[in-house]
Coordinates of all heavy atoms in Angstrom, one line a residue:
L151 N 78.2 166.5 79.7 CA 77.7 165.1 79.6 C 78.6 164.2 80.5 O 78.2 163.3 81.2 CB 77.8 164.6 78.2 CG 76.5 164.7 77.4 CD1 76.6 163.9 76.1 CD2 75.3 164.0 78.2
R152 N 80.0 164.4 80.4 CA 80.9 163.6 81.1 C 80.7 163.8 82.6 O 80.7 162.8 83.4 CB 82.3 164.0 80.7 CG 83.3 162.9 81.1 CD 84.6 162.9 80.4 NE 84.4 163.0 79.0 CZ 84.7 164.1 78.2 NH1 85.3 165.1 78.7 NH2 84.5 164.1 76.9
N153 N 80.4 165.0 83.0 CA 80.1 165.3 84.5 C 78.9 164.5 84.9 O 78.9 163.8 86.0 CB 79.9 166.7 84.7 CG 81.2 167.5 84.9 OD1 82.2 166.9 85.1 ND2 81.1 168.8 84.8
L154 N 77.9 164.5 84.0 CA 76.7 163.8 84.4 C 77.0 162.3 84.5 O 76.5 161.6 85.4 CB 75.6 164.0 83.3 CG 74.3 163.2 83.4 CD1 73.5 163.8 84.6 CD2 73.5 163.3 82.2
E155 N 77.8 161.8 83.6 CA 78.2 160.4 83.6 C 78.8 160.0 84.9 O 78.4 159.0 85.5 CB 79.1 160.2 82.4 CG 79.3 158.7 82.0 CD 80.2 158.7 80.8 OE1 80.0 159.4 79.8 OE2 81.2 157.9 80.9
Y156 N 79.8 160.8 85.3 CA 80.5 160.5 86.6 C 79.5 160.6 87.7 O 79.5 159.7 88.6 CB 81.6 161.5 86.8 CG 82.8 161.4 85.9 CD1 83.6 162.5 85.5 CD2 83.1 160.1 85.3 CE1 84.7 162.4 84.6 CE2 84.2 160.0 84.4 CZ 85.0 161.1 84.1 OH 86.0 161.0 83.2
T157 N 78.7 161.6 87.7 CA 77.7 161.7 88.8 C 76.8 160.5 88.9 O 76.6 159.9 90.0 CB 76.8 163.0 88.6 OG1 77.7 164.0 88.3 CG2 76.0 163.3 89.9
L158 N 76.3 160.1 87.7 CA 75.4 158.9 87.7 C 76.1 157.7 88.2 O 75.6 156.9 89.0 CB 74.9 158.7 86.3 CG 73.8 159.7 85.8 CD1 73.4 159.4 84.4 CD2 72.6 159.7 86.7
I159 N 77.4 157.5 87.7 CA 78.1 156.2 88.1 C 78.4 156.2 89.6 O 78.1 155.2 90.3 CB 79.4 156.1 87.3 CG1 79.1 155.8 85.8 CG2 80.3 155.0 87.9 CD1 80.3 155.8 84.9
I160 N 78.8 157.3 90.1 CA 79.1 157.4 91.6 C 77.9 157.2 92.4 O 77.8 156.4 93.3 CB 79.9 158.7 91.9 CG1 81.3 158.7 91.3 CG2 80.0 158.9 93.4 CD1 82.0 160.0 91.3
T161 N 76.8 157.9 92.0 CA 75.5 157.8 92.7 C 75.0 156.4 92.7 O 74.5 155.8 93.6 CB 74.5 158.7 92.1 OG1 75.1 159.9 91.7 CG2 73.3 159.0 93.0
F162 N 75.2 155.7 91.5 CA 74.7 154.4 91.3 C 75.4 153.4 92.3 O 74.7 152.7 93.0 CB 75.0 153.9 89.9 CG 74.6 152.5 89.6 CD1 73.3 152.1 89.3 CD2 75.6 151.5 89.6 CE1 73.0 150.8 89.1 CE2 75.3 150.2 89.3 CZ 74.0 149.8 89.1
F163 N 76.7 153.5 92.4 CA 77.4 152.6 93.3 C 77.2 152.9 94.7 O 77.0 152.0 95.5 CB 78.9 152.6 93.0 CG 79.2 151.8 91.7 CD1 79.6 152.4 90.6 CD2 79.0 150.4 91.7 CE1 79.9 151.6 89.4 CE2 79.3 149.6 90.6 CZ 79.7 150.2 89.4
V164 N 77.1 154.2 95.1 CA 76.8 154.5 96.5 C 75.4 154.0 96.8 O 75.2 153.4 97.9 CB 76.9 156.1 96.7 CG1 76.4 156.5 98.0 CG2 78.3 156.5 96.5
A165 N 74.5 154.2 95.9 CA 73.1 153.8 96.2 C 73.0 152.3 96.3 O 72.4 151.8 97.2 CB 72.2 154.2 95.0
I166 N 73.8 151.5 95.5 CA 73.8 150.1 95.6 C 74.3 149.6 96.9 O 73.7 148.7 97.5 CB 74.6 149.5 94.4 CG1 73.9 149.7 93.1 CG2 74.8 148.0 94.6 CD1 72.5 149.2 93.0
I167 N 75.4 150.2 97.3 CA 76.0 149.8 98.6 C 75.0 150.1 99.7 O 74.7 149.2 100.6 CB 77.3 150.6 98.9 CG1 78.3 150.1 97.9 CG2 77.8 150.3 100.3 CD1 79.6 150.9 97.9
F168 N 74.3 151.3 99.7 CA 73.4 151.6 100.7 C 72.2 150.6 100.7 O 71.7 150.1 101.7 CB 72.9 153.0 100.4 CG 71.8 153.5 101.4 CD1 72.1 153.8 102.7 CD2 70.5 153.5 100.9 CE1 71.0 154.2 103.5 CE2 69.4 153.9 101.8 CZ 69.7 154.2 103.1
I169 N 71.7 150.4 99.4 CA 70.5 149.5 99.3 C 70.9 148.1 99.8 O 70.0 147.4 100.4 CB 70.1 149.5 97.8 CG1 69.4 150.8 97.5 CG2 69.1 148.3 97.5 CD1 69.3 151.1 96.0
Y170 N 72.1 147.6 99.5 CA 72.5 146.3 99.9 C 72.4 146.1 101.5 O 71.8 145.2 102.0 CB 73.9 146.0 99.5 CG 74.4 144.6 99.9 CD1 74.1 143.5 99.2 CD2 75.2 144.5 101.1 CE1 74.5 142.2 99.6 CE2 75.6 143.2 101.5 CZ 75.3 142.1 100.8 OH 75.6 140.8 101.2
F171 N 72.9 147.1 102.2 CA 72.9 147.1 103.6 C 71.5 147.3 104.1 O 71.0 146.6 105.1 CB 73.8 148.1 104.3 CG 75.3 147.6 104.1 CD1 76.2 148.3 103.3 CD2 75.7 146.5 104.8 CE1 77.5 147.8 103.1 CE2 77.0 146.0 104.6 CZ 77.9 146.7 103.8
A172 N 70.7 148.1 103.5 CA 69.3 148.3 103.9 C 68.5 147.0 103.7 O 67.8 146.6 104.5 CB 68.7 149.5 103.1
G173 N 68.8 146.4 102.5 CA 68.1 145.1 102.2 C 68.4 144.1 103.2 O 67.5 143.4 103.7
Q174 N 69.7 144.0 103.6 CA 70.1 143.0 104.6 C 69.4 143.3 105.9 O 68.9 142.4 106.6 CB 71.6 143.2 104.8 CG 72.3 141.9 105.1 CD 73.8 142.0 105.0 OE1 74.4 143.0 105.2 NE2 74.4 140.9 104.7
F175 N 69.3 144.6 106.3 CA 68.6 144.9 107.5 C 67.1 144.5 107.5 O 66.6 143.9 108.4 CB 68.8 146.5 107.7 CG 68.0 147.0 108.9 CD1 68.4 146.7 110.2 CD2 66.8 147.7 108.7 CE1 67.7 147.2 111.3 CE2 66.1 148.2 109.8 CZ 66.5 147.9 111.1
F176 N 66.5 144.9 106.4 CA 65.0 144.6 106.3 C 64.8 143.1 106.2 O 63.8 142.6 106.8 CB 64.4 145.3 105.1 CG 64.3 146.8 105.3 CD1 64.8 147.7 104.4 CD2 63.6 147.3 106.4 CE1 64.8 149.0 104.7 CE2 63.5 148.6 106.7 CZ 64.1 149.5 105.8
A177 N 65.7 142.4 105.5 CA 65.5 140.9 105.3 C 65.7 140.3 106.7 O 64.9 139.4 107.1 CB 66.5 140.3 104.4
S178 N 66.7 140.8 107.5 CA 66.9 140.2 108.8 C 65.7 140.4 109.7 O 65.2 139.6 110.4 CB 68.1 140.8 109.5 OG 69.2 140.7 108.8
K179 N 65.2 141.7 109.6 CA 64.0 142.0 110.4 C 62.8 141.1 110.0 O 62.1 140.6 110.9 CB 63.7 143.5 110.1 CG 63.1 144.2 111.2 CD 63.6 145.5 111.7 CE 62.9 145.9 113.0 NZ 63.5 145.4 114.1
A180 N 62.6 141.0 108.7 CA 61.5 140.2 108.2 C 61.6 138.7 108.6 O 60.6 138.0 108.9 CB 61.3 140.3 106.7
L181 N 62.9 138.2 108.7 CA 63.1 136.8 108.9 C 63.4 136.5 110.4 O 63.6 135.4 110.8 CB 64.2 136.2 108.1 CG 63.8 136.2 106.6 CD1 65.1 135.8 105.8 CD2 62.7 135.2 106.3
Q182 N 63.3 137.6 111.2 CA 63.6 137.4 112.6 C 62.7 136.3 113.3 O 63.2 135.4 114.0 CB 63.5 138.7 113.4 CG 63.9 138.7 114.8 CD 65.4 138.3 115.0 OE1 66.2 138.7 114.2 NE2 65.7 137.4 115.9
P183 N 61.4 136.3 113.0 CA 60.5 135.3 113.6 C 61.0 133.9 113.2 O 60.9 133.0 114.0 CB 59.2 135.6 113.0 CG 59.2 137.0 112.6 CD 60.6 137.3 112.2
V184 N 61.5 133.8 111.9 CA 62.0 132.4 111.5 C 63.2 132.0 112.3 O 63.3 130.8 112.8 CB 62.3 132.4 110.0 CG1 62.8 131.0 109.6 CG2 61.1 132.8 109.2
S185 N 64.1 132.9 112.6 CA 65.3 132.6 113.4 C 64.9 132.2 114.8 O 65.3 131.2 115.3 CB 66.2 133.8 113.5 OG 66.5 134.3 112.2
D186 N 63.9 133.0 115.3 CA 63.4 132.7 116.7 C 62.8 131.3 116.7 O 63.0 130.5 117.6 CB 62.3 133.7 117.1 CG 62.9 135.1 117.3 OD1 64.1 135.2 117.3 OD2 62.1 136.0 117.4
M187 N 62.1 131.0 115.6 CA 61.4 129.7 115.5 C 62.5 128.5 115.5 O 62.3 127.5 116.2 CB 60.6 129.7 114.1 CG 59.4 128.9 114.2 SD 58.6 128.9 112.6 CE 57.4 130.1 112.7
V188 N 63.5 128.8 114.7 CA 64.6 127.7 114.6 C 65.2 127.5 116.0 O 65.4 126.4 116.4 CB 65.7 128.2 113.6 CG1 66.9 127.3 113.6 CG2 65.1 128.2 112.2
D189 N 65.5 128.6 116.7 CA 66.0 128.5 118.1 C 65.1 127.6 118.9 O 65.6 126.7 119.7 CB 66.2 129.8 118.7 CG 67.3 130.6 118.0 OD1 68.1 130.0 117.2 OD2 67.4 131.9 118.2
K190 N 63.8 127.9 118.8 CA 62.8 127.3 119.7 C 62.8 125.8 119.3 O 62.7 124.9 120.2 CB 61.5 127.9 119.5 CG 60.5 127.6 120.5 CD 60.6 128.4 121.8 CE 59.7 127.9 122.9 NZ 59.9 128.6 124.1
V191 N 62.7 125.5 118.0 CA 62.6 124.1 117.5 C 63.8 123.3 118.0 O 63.6 122.1 118.3 CB 62.4 124.1 116.0 CG1 62.5 122.7 115.5 CG2 61.1 124.7 115.6
E192 N 64.9 123.9 118.0 CA 66.1 123.2 118.4 C 66.0 122.8 119.9 O 66.6 121.8 120.3 CB 67.4 124.1 118.2 CG 67.9 123.9 116.8 CD 69.0 124.9 116.5 OE1 69.4 125.7 117.4 OE2 69.6 124.9 115.4
E193 N 65.2 123.5 120.6 CA 65.1 123.1 122.1 C 64.2 121.9 122.2 O 64.2 121.3 123.3 CB 64.4 124.3 122.8 CG 65.3 125.4 123.1 CD 64.6 126.6 123.8 OE1 63.6 126.3 124.5 OE2 65.0 127.7 123.6
I194 N 63.3 121.7 121.2 CA 62.3 120.6 121.3 C 62.9 119.2 121.1 O 63.5 119.0 120.0 CB 61.1 120.8 120.4 CG1 60.5 122.2 120.7 CG2 60.1 119.7 120.5 CD1 59.4 122.6 119.7
T195 N 62.8 118.4 122.1 CA 63.3 117.0 122.0 C 62.2 116.1 122.4 O 61.1 116.5 122.9 CB 64.6 116.7 122.8 OG1 64.2 117.0 124.2 CG2 65.7 117.7 122.4
A196 N 62.5 114.8 122.4 CA 61.5 113.8 122.8 C 61.1 114.0 124.3 O 59.9 113.7 124.7 CB 62.0 112.4 122.6

Side-chain angles (χ1 to χ4, degrees):
L151 265 189
R152 198 159 309 114
N153 276 344
L154 176 71
E155 198 179 305
Y156 291 150
T157 312
L158 286 177
I159 290 174
I160 290 168
T161 320
F162 177 79
F163 283 110
V164 170
I166 291 304
I167 291 169
F168 176 75
I169 287 163
Y170 179 81
F171 286 111
Q174 212 166 29
F175 173 73
F176 288 124
S178 303
K179 210 130 186 85
L181 292 172
Q182 188 58 43
V184 179
S185 307
D186 294 346
M187 216 183 257
V188 171
D189 292 344
K190 193 82 188 176
V191 170
E192 273 172 359
E193 283 175 30
I194 301 175
T195 61

